[in-house]
Amino acid sequence: MDWAEEEFETLELGDALLNRRAVLLVERLSQTTGSSIPGACKNRSETIAAYGFLGNEEISWDVMSAHWDATQKRITQHSVVLCSQDTTKLAFNGQQTQGLGPLNYEAQRGLLLHPTYASCPPARAPGRHERLDVGQSVQTRQRHTQR
């Protein structure tokens, strides 16, 4: 079982084909972060299936409940979890889309996205403290021992 199947193991959309399509779409999009849907899919039929899935009015945000459940389960396995939140404005000016609200002013229509990223700090041995020097990449960080 790969990570996406495990992550969405409890997904129940009422149709095994929809469940498999959701998992495949998650796999494809995660393998090519930042790509368009056609760029992430392996062929035309996958692309058409992805758009069909996303356009299916029976599919709602509930599709994410399996991921949220898996995340919550992982969080309980750690004593410290950092949850970083960011706000992004998604503007849809000039598009006929229902359900949008004003952003900075009434004419600017869109929605606010508030993603939250959960992460665990690295484990530390007693007596050791890690410091990340400003300007230094995470991959080349230096570890300093407190004496």
Side-chain angles (χ1 to χ4, degrees):
M1 181 182 301
D2 68 5
W3 76 268
E5 289 174 319
E6 188 175 318
E7 187 73 8
F8 287 87
E9 186 174 22
T10 63
L11 180 65
E12 187 46 61
L13 298 175
D15 181 343
L17 177 63
L18 287 177
N19 291 348
R20 286 194 306 274
R21 187 162 292 150
V23 170
L24 180 63
L25 187 55
V26 167
E27 286 176 355
R28 294 291 189 254
L29 292 172
S30 69
Q31 291 168 352
T32 56
T33 306
S35 291
S36 64
I37 291 172
C41 294
K42 300 248 184 221
N43 53 49
R44 182 169 165 74
S45 64
E46 267 190 24
T47 302
I48 292 168
Y51 281 119
F53 178 84
L54 295 171
N56 185 333
E57 293 190 13
E58 300 295 317
I59 306 292
S60 68
W61 274 103
D62 292 340
V63 73
M64 295 300 295
S65 63
H67 166 63
W68 294 331
D69 291 344
T71 300
Q72 192 171 24
K73 184 178 177 183
R74 279 192 303 277
I75 283 174
T76 63
Q77 298 171 4
H78 300 277
S79 60
V80 175
V81 177
L82 305 175
C83 295
S84 306
Q85 184 272 330
D86 188 23
T87 299
T88 300
K89 294 178 184 174
L90 302 176
F92 294 91
N93 297 331
Q95 297 184 30
Q96 298 298 322
T97 305
Q98 295 180 345
L100 301 177
L103 292 175
N104 292 350
Y105 48 90
E106 187 61 36
Q108 187 181 28
R109 308 300 289 174
L111 56 96
L112 298 176
L113 177 66
H114 303 284
T116 302
Y117 302 96
S119 60
C120 299
R124 295 191 176 123
R128 288 186 56 91
H129 298 280
E130 189 173 53
R131 181 184 79 194
L132 179 62
D133 293 328
V134 176
Q136 194 174 24
S137 73
V138 174
Q139 291 80 13
T140 60
R141 63 186 171 202
Q142 295 176 351
R143 293 180 181 221
H144 302 274
T145 303
Q146 184 177 8
R147 296 175 195 222

